Amino acid sequence: ALPQPDYRRYSQKGEYVYVKPRWYDPFNRNRFKGDEPIWPQILGQQVYLNLTASTETLFDGRRVPSPSNVSSARPGSADFFGKGEQEFFDQALRFAFDLFHGDASFKPADWRIRITPEFSLNDLNVRELGIVGPDVRSGKNRFDHHLGFQEAFIEAKLHDLGPNYDFVSARGGIQQFNADFRGFLFVDEQPALRVFGTLDSNRIEYNVAYFYFLEKNTNSGLNTFGRRHQQVALGNVYLQDFFFPGYTAEFMAAWNKDDPSLHYDDNGFLVRPAPVGNVIDQNPGAGARLHGVRVGYFGWLGSGHIHRINLTHAFYQALGEDTFNPMAGRRVTVNAQMAAAEISYDRDWMRYRVSAFYTSGDANPRDGRARGFDSIVDLPNFAGGLLSFWNREGLRLLGSGVLLTAPGSLIPSLRSSKEEGQANFVNPGLFLTNAGAEFDLTPKLKAFANFNYLRFERTEPLEFLLFQSPIHHAIGEDAGIGVEYRPPLTENIVLTAGASALQPAQGFKDIYTGRTQFSLCGSAKFTF
C-alpha cells in the first residue's frame, strides 16, 4: 500500500483524502482498522489488522409476575403473587482482534485469525426472595461478572471458483452464526467447523457447519469453558433474485442432538432436566430422569422485495424424538411446525408493516406425540423484536421450574432456560398478529411503534402443568414504542430507548394476574 502524502491540503475540517491519520481516529486511514498493512517490513503488504472495541450499557426495568415464596415476614403467602418490579443492569466490554491476509475489501480473505473476548458486569435487583437463587438467604440482589470468548477461530480460503470472486473457505473455532434472516431457529456463538462460500457471481451463498456447544454463563449469556454435550449440524443455501429481482430465498436443514445430562445453572437452579413433571425417578437411588433430544428441522425462508412490497417469510418443520419428556412422562415423537410472514411498505420516511407468527401446540401432553414447536437457540428480530414485552422479558410459570417464555424468544416453550435448558416440544404454541411502523424522523433519529395480539394455540399443556382448568386462549395485547439515535450517522455511537406493556386478556389472567405488565429499557453502545 502506498502511503498518502504527509501534508494537509485543506484547512477546514472534513473527510478528505489527505487527512493525517491518528491511531485513535477510526474514521480516516488507520493502520489498526485494516486500512494499511499492519507490519509491511515483516509480514508483507497483504497482512492487515482490524481492532474493534465496543462498550454496551444496558438497563432494563420491568414488572413481571413473581411469586411471594415462603417468607417469615408474610407467613402463609406462598400461594399468592408477590411484588414483581425488577431492575437489571449490564455493562459489557467487547474486543475483537482480526488479523487477515488479502488484497481488497471486496475479495474474500486468504486467511484470517480472529479472537473476541467479552467481559460482563451485571446486577439484578428484585423485591421478592427466592428469585436470584433457590436459597432465600441469597436475598434480593445479585451481582455477577464473567469473561467469555465469543470468537476464537482460524479461517482459510480453500479455492477460488472463478474470476468474479466466487470461493470456498473453511473456518474452525468459536464463531458467530445465524441460521436464517430473522433468527427464528439458531443464533449463537459456539465452537464449529464450517465450510462456506459463493457461486454464480455471489448469487448463491451456502454454509455447511457442525457445532459442539459450550455451556453458557447464566447471568451474562457468555461462553464458559465447559462442554455442553449438545451438537448441531446444519446446511443452508441462499438464492438471490429467486423468481423476482430483489427477493432472496433460503432452504435449510438442521439436526439438533442434545445428549442426556444433569446441570444446575450458576445461581443454583436445576435446568437439565427441566424440574417439572416426572423429572425424578421414584426408584430408590435413581435420581433425576435424564433425557436426550434428537430433532431435525427443515425450512424454507425468504426475504427481500417484490416490486414495492417488502416481504419476509419463514416455515420450519421439526421431526424427531425426545427420549423421556418430563411432562409427558414417556418417550415422545416430535412433529411440529412454525410459520411467520411479514409484509411492509415504504412511503417516504415511513415504513408500515403487518405480520403474523405461528407455532403449533400440543393438544394432549400425556400421549406419545409432541406437537408443540421449539427452536434450538432463537433470537427473533420480528414483531417488534426486543421492543415487544412478550419477546423481551422472561415469564416464569409460578409453582414450577420452567419459563412460559424465555427472554429474547417468542415461543411459549415451557423450557427451563433458552441457553442452558433442553428444547421442549410439549408446549401450548402461539398465534401472534402484529402491526407496526418505523419513522426516519431525521437521518440520525429513528422511531418505532409496535402492537401485538397474542393467543395460545393450545392450552392443554398449561392446564395439565398448573392443575387448573379452564385456561383461556387469549393472552393479551402487547404495545411498545422506541427510539434509536446515531449521532455520527454511523454505528459507532448508538443510543436506544424503549417502553412496552402487556395488557392481560383472560388466558393470562387465568395463569397470573390482570395487572398490566411493563418493561422500560435503554442502551448505549460505543464502538471503535
Side-chain angles (χ1 to χ4, degrees):
L2 296 177
Q4 295 292 342
D6 189 14
Y7 68 89
R8 188 173 183 85
R9 185 173 178 179
Y10 301 97
S11 59
Q12 64 270 33
K13 295 181 179 180
E15 298 182 359
Y16 303 109
V17 176
Y18 297 104
V19 174
K20 188 174 182 178
R22 297 178 176 88
W23 68 268
Y24 55 83
D25 180 7
F27 297 102
N28 291 296
R29 290 176 64 86
N30 191 316
R31 178 171 295 185
F32 299 105
K33 299 299 292 182
D35 297 325
E36 300 175 1
I38 184 60
W39 201 354
Q41 298 85 355
I42 303 298
L43 301 178
Q45 293 287 335
Q46 293 180 292
V47 177
Y48 298 84
L49 176 65
N50 186 4
L51 299 181
T52 303
S54 65
T55 171
E56 184 169 11
T57 304
L58 170 69
F59 173 79
D60 187 3
R62 60 210 179 212
R63 178 197 289 157
V64 294
S66 301
S68 60
N69 287 322
V70 179
S71 172
S72 59
R74 290 180 303 185
S77 65
D79 295 332
F80 296 91
F81 293 99
K83 300 175 181 179
E85 292 78 16
Q86 301 179 6
E87 297 175 354
F88 179 74
F89 173 85
D90 181 67
Q91 176 63 61
L93 301 172
R94 187 179 178 105
F95 304 90
F97 304 86
D98 188 9
L99 184 70
F100 60 95
H101 181 281
D103 292 325
S105 61
F106 53 83
K107 183 179 179 181
D110 299 315
W111 56 260
R112 167 176 274 118
I113 300 173
R114 186 177 177 94
I115 300 175
T116 304
E118 183 169 345
F119 181 69
S120 171
L121 291 166
N122 54 82
D123 184 78
L124 174 66
N125 280 295
V126 299
R127 302 186 67 187
E128 294 291 343
L129 299 173
I131 295 178
V132 301
D135 189 342
V136 295
R137 294 173 296 178
S138 301
K140 302 177 183 179
N141 174 265
R142 182 189 68 222
F143 177 79
D144 195 17
H145 58 85
H146 183 73
L147 173 65
F149 281 86
Q150 302 308 104
E151 290 179 310
F153 65 78
I154 298 175
E155 176 187 317
K157 184 166 62 176
L158 302 180
H159 192 62
D160 285 313
L161 302 180
N164 297 324
Y165 302 113
D166 287 327
F167 70 101
V168 55
S169 290
R171 178 181 294 179
I174 304 173
Q175 55 193 277
Q176 297 180 345
F177 192 80
N178 185 353
D180 57 56
F181 298 104
R182 294 294 187 93
F184 290 122
L185 183 66
F186 175 53
V187 183
D188 212 340
E189 296 171 313
Q190 293 286 0
L193 294 174
R194 176 180 162 211
V195 176
F196 61 99
T198 65
L199 296 168
D200 193 21
S201 299
N202 199 34
R203 291 185 178 90
I204 301 174
E205 301 179 20
Y206 58 89
N207 293 275
V208 178
Y210 166 79
F211 293 84
Y212 195 103
F213 280 27
L214 296 172
E215 292 283 7
K216 296 288 187 177
N217 175 260
T218 304
N219 302 319
S220 67
L222 301 179
N223 289 330
T224 69
F225 294 101
R227 293 189 297 172
R228 169 73 166 80
H229 303 294
Q230 179 181 3
Q231 302 161 69
V232 170
L234 61 86
N236 64 4
V237 59
Y238 296 89
L239 307 176
Q240 296 186 35
D241 297 332
F242 188 73
F243 289 123
F244 297 94
Y247 168 78
T248 300
E250 178 190 2
F251 300 93
M252 73 162 301
W255 175 253
N256 180 25
K257 180 177 181 289
D258 196 348
D259 296 328
S261 59
L262 178 68
H263 180 67
Y264 291 82
D265 69 16
D266 296 311
N267 300 323
F269 291 102
L270 177 64
V271 290
R272 293 198 306 273
V276 65
N278 296 78
V279 66
I280 302 298
D281 194 329
Q282 299 301 320
N283 295 322
R289 294 180 184 266
L290 308 184
H291 64 105
V293 176
R294 311 282 190 271
V295 174
Y297 296 87
F298 305 92
W300 170 42
L301 308 97
S303 183
H305 64 87
I306 300 177
H307 304 296
R308 291 200 62 181
I309 301 298
N310 305 305
L311 172 66
T312 296
H313 66 86
F315 175 80
Y316 280 110
Q317 170 70 49
L319 297 169
E321 69 166 358
D322 185 337
T323 59
F324 188 88
N325 184 275
M327 286 187 60
R330 58 191 294 180
R331 175 188 174 275
V332 296
T333 58
V334 175
N335 183 357
Q337 300 79 36
M338 187 223 83
E342 177 186 284
I343 297 175
S344 65
Y345 180 78
D346 295 318
R347 182 177 177 82
D348 199 5
W349 50 278
M350 296 173 287
R351 169 175 287 190
Y352 307 99
R353 70 170 186 272
V354 293
S355 61
F357 179 82
Y358 164 83
T359 60
S360 59
D362 196 321
N364 188 345
R366 297 295 284 179
D367 68 3
R369 294 183 296 174
R371 302 300 302 271
F373 183 87
D374 200 3
S375 65
I376 302 174
V377 183
D378 61 329
L379 187 63
N381 179 17
F382 193 80
L386 295 181
L387 290 177
S388 158
F389 176 89
W390 181 262
N391 191 346
R392 184 179 187 86
E393 305 298 346
L395 301 176
R396 184 167 294 278
L397 272 185
L398 309 189
S400 73
V402 298
L403 298 163
L404 177 63
T405 60
S409 178
L410 291 170
I411 305 172
S413 58
L414 306 183
R415 62 200 284 180
S416 57
S417 167
K418 185 171 72 170
E419 291 88 3
E420 298 178 88
Q422 292 173 294
N424 173 41
F425 297 88
V426 180
N427 67 63
L430 180 73
F431 181 71
L432 176 154
T433 56
N434 164 266
E438 301 177 13
F439 308 95
D440 291 320
L441 303 179
T442 72
K444 299 181 179 182
L445 182 64
K446 178 179 287 189
F448 309 88
N450 185 72
F451 176 83
N452 296 329
Y453 176 71
L454 304 131
R455 289 178 58 89
F456 292 119
E457 177 65 16
R458 309 291 306 194
T459 59
E460 289 85 351
L462 296 170
E463 294 173 348
F464 170 75
L465 184 60
L466 300 176
F467 301 100
Q468 178 181 343
S469 181
I471 293 178
H472 293 79
H473 288 257
I475 300 171
E477 297 86 29
D478 176 6
I481 57 174
V483 293
E484 179 184 89
Y485 181 53
R486 300 182 303 155
L489 278 177
T490 66
E491 298 299 318
N492 294 78
I493 301 177
V494 181
L495 307 177
T496 306
S500 59
L502 176 67
Q503 182 59 44
Q506 189 58 50
F508 194 92
K509 295 177 183 178
D510 293 337
I511 302 172
Y512 297 111
T513 173
R515 194 177 187 187
T516 301
Q517 309 299 305
F518 66 83
S519 172
L520 302 173
C521 62
S523 68
K525 185 174 183 180
F526 301 88
T527 303
F528 168 79

